[in-house]
Structure formats: structure tokens, C-alpha cells
């Protein structure tokens, strides 16, 4: 179905599939991405030294920080704007223009800053700088693509783009491992970047084929200004959710040792496979809450149940198979990180509660409350983990779990209060 510019995407009700189908599709997509990512790090660990793996994980974490900063809440703003009935094409044009420029600027800023303050761990190669820039821009665009397709009822389309992107990155890393052992971090980074680029290109094609939209990024103030005003509060809240897990590998690599980051990151990455279910269910919970405020209570409890069911299954597998899974990277990884993985996987339930709380706050416009709680919890998580770093990854993960559980208890109490008020207002 094609239409005139400004309404290039069909009306939302005509393209929305069920929220459950969209949610499950996203979960499957992220599972495919995580599986390919884990396989990538298995190959990387066997292709080079622990130090180079640690530097690569720090670089990947830095890219993810840049993407989370550069998105500027544009994905959430797209969900709200489309949910309110605004022309999707106009909203998407502004969103892609903003995040493309922001991703480029932040990536360049990070590279210059790293070269100035940490030259011993910074790479000066042209390959590293180029791949870092491309990874930051395409990674930011993919975040907006994910949320745009959720808003348009096409969240399940993520499976194809993440499977293809992950497969390409894995294939490139396998080729590097086969051709030369001891690959430098910039080569591994290039392999990882290739996967994000493929995912971004596939996502753009999907927007065109599924909903008739052709990306035409725009930087017009009349379009971008309202989008930023709507997105910035969501951006700040998202940063409180993502920053602790992204910042900690960087802190470990630069303040403790690259090897410490190398042993922590696989455990965190695998635990994130379980945590992804609450994150994605929270996005759909937020999207449904914006479109139909009267269903926020039922949607919240349904999303929380599915988060715990799907994420809990993944967490149970990780607890049972922690050592065998990590041994695929090498026995030193299994010995150092298996305990950490088990403790982090046990954090699935508290993390699901936090995501449900944040999604409810987004839908109700209670940004300040959720941001304050998120900042407080994030600082406490990183401080607790770093304080235990000298005792190994398992001690760090246990400290992380204790702080996370305390934060979830507070968030759970506030979530119940918010939903009670929603029920009272509906009467």
C-alpha cells in the first residue's frame, strides 16, 4: 500500500498485529542476536589474546554507550507520536536525521577523548576509527528502527535483520580466526561492525517493503524540535536503565585491567540474553499504554508475567549450563565467570520488575520519578561491583544482584501504587 508523502505508511490500525505477536517476535529476534553475539565472542576468544578481547569488549561497550546517548529518545518519541495519530513518515524522517547526526558526533567525540585521556588503551588505526564511527551510526539507527516497527505493529520483523547481521559478523570473525591467530582489536571490531551495518540495511529495506516507507532523513527544526522535546525525557530514563551495564566494562578495562573486562563481559552478555525479555516486553507495554491508557493495568501485569516466563526460562538455562557455556570461550573464562553468570541470571525477576515500573512511568508521564530512581540505582550498582572487583567476577555479580534486588523492591512498591491510581481514575 503506497500513499502520498507524509502519509507513506498506512494508518496504524491497518498495520498493527497483536501486541503479543509483536512482543514474542522481538524476543525471538533478540535471542537470535544474542546467540550470534555469544558465538562471535567464542570465536574471538580463540582468535586472539585475552587482552585484545578485553579491548574489543571495551570498544563495543563504548559504541553501545554512544548509541544510547545518540538516540535522544527518538524511538520512544516515534512510539508516542504514531500512537497519537501523527503521520509516521514525517516522524520517522525527523528521527533518522537527528540520530544520524548525533551518532556521528558522539562517536567522534569519544574517539578524541579516549586518545587524550587513555592513550595506552586507545587505538590510533584508521580501521578502528572508521569501524567505530560506522558502528555507532548504524547501531543508533537500528534502535530507532526497532521501536518504529513496534509502533507500526511489525516488531516481529526484527528476527530476520538480527539473524542476518549476527550471522555476517560471526562469519567474518570465523574467517579472521582461520586466517591468522592473534588478530588485533581493530580487526575484531571491524567484524562486529559489519554485522550492525547489515542489520541496519535490512531494517531500512523492511520499512519499505512492510509499511511502504522509504527513509529520507530530515533535520528541519519544525519537525525535529517537537520530537526532541518529546524524546529527551524518555532518553534520560533509558540511560538510567542501560548505562550501568555499558559503563562497567569500560571502567574495568581502564581502572582495573583489560583482562577483568574480558572475564566480566561474557557473563554480562549472556545474562543480558535473559534480561532482554523484560526490556522488549516493557517497550510493548509502553506502546500499548500510550495507545490505550485504559488498558495500562492489564497490559502491565500481562507484560510482567511474560517477562518472567520467557526471561526466567533463559535464566534457568544459564544457571544450569553456566560452566559448559563459558567453557566454549576457554576454561579460564569458565573458571573466572561461571559464578558471575549464575548470580546475574538470578537477577531476572528484579530486573523484570524494574522494567515494568519504568514502562508504566513512561506511559503515565512520570519521568522525573523514574529517572531519579534509575540514577540512584545505577550509581549504586557500579559502585558495588567495582568495590568487589579485586575478589573476582563472581563477587562483583553478587554485589550487583544485592543492589538490584533492593532497587526492584522499591520500584515494585511504586508500581503497585501507580497502577492503583490508574484503576481509581478509570472508575
Amino acid at each position: 500500500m503506497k500513499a502520498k508523502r507524509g502519509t507513506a505508511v498506512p494508518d496504524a490500525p491497518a498495520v498493527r498485529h497483536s501486541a503479543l505477536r509483536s512482543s514474542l517476535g522481538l524476543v525471538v529476534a533478540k535471542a537470535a542476536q544474542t546467540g550470534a553475539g555469544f558465538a562471535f565472542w567464542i570465536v574471538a576468544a580463540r582468535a586472539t589474546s585475552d587482552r585484545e578481547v578485553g579491548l574489543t569488549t571495551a570498544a563495543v561497550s563504548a559504541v553501545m554507550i554512544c548509541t544510547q546517548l545518540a538516540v535522544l529518545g527518538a524511538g520512544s518519541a516515534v512510539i508516542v507520536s504514531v500512537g497519537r495519530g501523527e503521520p509516521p513518515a514525517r516522524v520517522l524522517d525527523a528521527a533518522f536525521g537527528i540520530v544520524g547526526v548525533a551518532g556521528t558526533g558522539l562517536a567522534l567525540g569519544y574517539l578524541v577523548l579516549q586518545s587524550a585521556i587513555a592513550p595506552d588503551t586507545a587505538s590510533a588505526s584508521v580501521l578502528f576509527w572508521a569501524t567505530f564511527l560506522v558502528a555507532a551510526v548504524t547501531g543508533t539507527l537500528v534502535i530507532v528502527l526497532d521501536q518504529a516497527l513496534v509502533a507500526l505493529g511489525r516488531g516481529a520483523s526484527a528476527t530476520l535483520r538480527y539473524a542476518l547481521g549476527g550471522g555476517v559478523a560471526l562469519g567474518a570473525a570465523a574467517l579472521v580466526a582461520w586466517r591468522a591467530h592473534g588478530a588485533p582489536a581493530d580487526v575484531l571490531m571491524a567484524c562486529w561492525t559489519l554485522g550492525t551495518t547489515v542489520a541496519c540495511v535490512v531494517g531500512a529495506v523492511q520499512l519499505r517493503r512492510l509499511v511502504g516507507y522509504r527513509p529520507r532523513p530530515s533535520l528541519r527544526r519544525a519537525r525535529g524540535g517537537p520530537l526532541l522535546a518529546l524524546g529527551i525525557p524518555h532518553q534520560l530514563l533509558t540511560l538510567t536503565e542501560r548505562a550501568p551495564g555499558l559503563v562497567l566494562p569500560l571502567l574495568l578495562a581502564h581502572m582495573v585491567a583489560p583482562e577483568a573486562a574480558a572475564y566480566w563481559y561474557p557473563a554480562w552478555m549472556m545474562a543480558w540474553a535473559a534480561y532482554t525479555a523484560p526490556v522488549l516486553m516493557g517497550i510493548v507495554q509502553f506502546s500499548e499504554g500510550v495507545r490505550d491508557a485504559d488498558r495500562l493495568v492489564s497490559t502491565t501485569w500481562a507484560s510482567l508475567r511474560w517477562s518472567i516466563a520467557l526471561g526466567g526460562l533463559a535464566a534457568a538455562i544459564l544457571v544450569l549450563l553456566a560452566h559448559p557455556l563459558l567453557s566454549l570461550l576457554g576454561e579460564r573464562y569458565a573458571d573466572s565467570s561461571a559464578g558471575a553468570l549464575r548470580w546475574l541470571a538470578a537477577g531476572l525477576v528484579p530486573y523484570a520488575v524494574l522494567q515494568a515500573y519504568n514502562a508504566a512511568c513512561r506511559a503515565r508521564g512520570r519521568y522525573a520519578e523514574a529517572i531519579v530512581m534509575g540514577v540512584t540505582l545505577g550509581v549504586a550498582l557500579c559502585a558495588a561491583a567495582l568495590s568487589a572487583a579485586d575478589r573476582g567476577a563472581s563477587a562483583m555479580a553478587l554485589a550487583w544482584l544485592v543492589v538490584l534486588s533492593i532497587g526492584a523492591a522499591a520500584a515494585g512498591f511504586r508500581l503497585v501504587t501507580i497502577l492503583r491510581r490508574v484503576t481509581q481514575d478509570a472508575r
Side-chain angles (χ1 to χ4, degrees), residues 324-348:
L325 287 171
L326 286 166
S327 66
L328 294 173
L329 284 77
E331 285 303 317
R332 61 191 181 279
Y333 286 92
D335 294 340
S336 300
S337 306
L341 177 55
R342 293 188 181 100
W343 287 122
L344 290 173
L348 182 279

Side-chain angles (χ1 to χ4, degrees), residues 41-405:
W41 291 112
I42 290 174
V43 173
R46 298 183 181 278
T48 190
S49 66
D50 292 353
R51 175 179 173 79
E52 295 301 318
V53 172
L55 291 174
T56 307
T57 60
V60 169
S61 293
V63 166
M64 295 175 72
I65 290 173
C66 289
T67 62
Q68 290 298 329
L69 291 172
V71 78
L72 296 173
S76 297
V78 168
I79 288 176
V80 174
S81 299
V82 172
R84 292 174 176 175
E86 295 183 28
R90 186 176 302 171
V91 174
L92 292 174
D93 286 348
F96 289 136
I98 290 169
V99 302
V101 172
T104 302
L106 283 167
L108 283 172
Y110 173 82
L111 290 168
V112 172
L113 182 63
Q114 185 191 30
S115 298
I117 66 175
D120 55 326
T121 56
S123 175
S125 76
V126 174
L127 176 62
F128 180 82
W129 278 57
T131 54
F132 192 98
L133 282 169
V134 172
V137 173
T138 56
T140 308
L141 292 173
V142 165
I143 292 174
V144 178
L145 277 167
D146 283 350
Q147 294 184 297
L149 286 163
V150 167
L152 296 166
R154 299 287 185 167
S157 66
T159 303
L160 177 61
R161 60 180 174 272
Y162 282 129
L164 289 175
V168 168
L170 176 59
L175 180 62
V176 168
W178 175 59
R179 297 286 296 184
H181 186 76
D186 56 356
V187 173
L188 294 177
M189 185 67 186
C191 297
W192 188 81
T193 299
L194 185 59
T196 65
T197 303
V198 169
C200 184
V201 172
V202 172
V205 173
Q206 287 176 323
L207 270 178
R208 173 64 175 168
R209 296 187 64 183
L210 294 176
V211 295
Y213 168 73
R214 179 179 298 170
R216 297 180 182 178
S218 171
L219 292 175
R220 296 180 185 178
R221 179 179 295 182
R223 296 183 182 180
L227 196 73
L228 283 174
L230 186 60
I232 291 299
H234 292 281
Q235 164 74 355
L236 295 175
L237 179 51
T238 298
L239 287 177
T240 68
E241 297 173 352
R242 306 288 196 277
L246 298 176
V247 169
L248 190 54
L250 281 174
L251 296 177
L252 289 171
H254 298 302
M255 296 176 60
V256 182
E259 290 80 3
Y263 295 140
W264 168 264
Y265 191 79
W268 170 254
M269 179 191 65
M270 294 174 70
W272 186 252
Y275 291 5
T276 296
V279 171
L280 298 176
M281 297 304 297
I283 292 174
V284 176
Q285 174 191 340
F286 162 51
S287 179
E288 292 295 303
V290 169
R291 290 202 295 259
D292 188 353
D294 293 337
R295 296 183 58 225
L296 178 61
V297 175
S298 61
T299 301
T300 297
W301 294 127
S303 296
L304 185 56
R305 287 193 298 271
W306 277 103
S307 295
I308 294 174
L310 297 173
L313 177 60
I317 293 172
L318 293 176
V319 169
L320 292 173
L321 301 179
H323 196 282
L325 287 171
L326 286 166
S327 66
L328 294 173
L329 284 77
E331 285 303 317
R332 61 191 181 279
Y333 286 92
D335 294 340
S336 300
S337 306
L341 177 55
R342 293 188 181 100
W343 287 122
L344 290 173
L348 182 279
V349 172
Y351 194 79
V353 173
L354 283 167
Q355 287 299 313
Y357 163 74
N358 284 343
C361 286
R362 290 179 192 274
R364 298 291 291 176
R366 304 178 69 90
Y367 311 117
E369 173 188 332
I371 289 169
V372 170
M373 181 173 289
V375 169
T376 303
L377 180 59
V379 171
L381 285 169
C382 287
L386 285 174
S387 69
D390 59 338
R391 298 193 295 277
S394 294
M396 291 173 57
L398 177 58
W400 181 286
L401 175 61
V402 171
V403 175
L404 181 67
S405 299

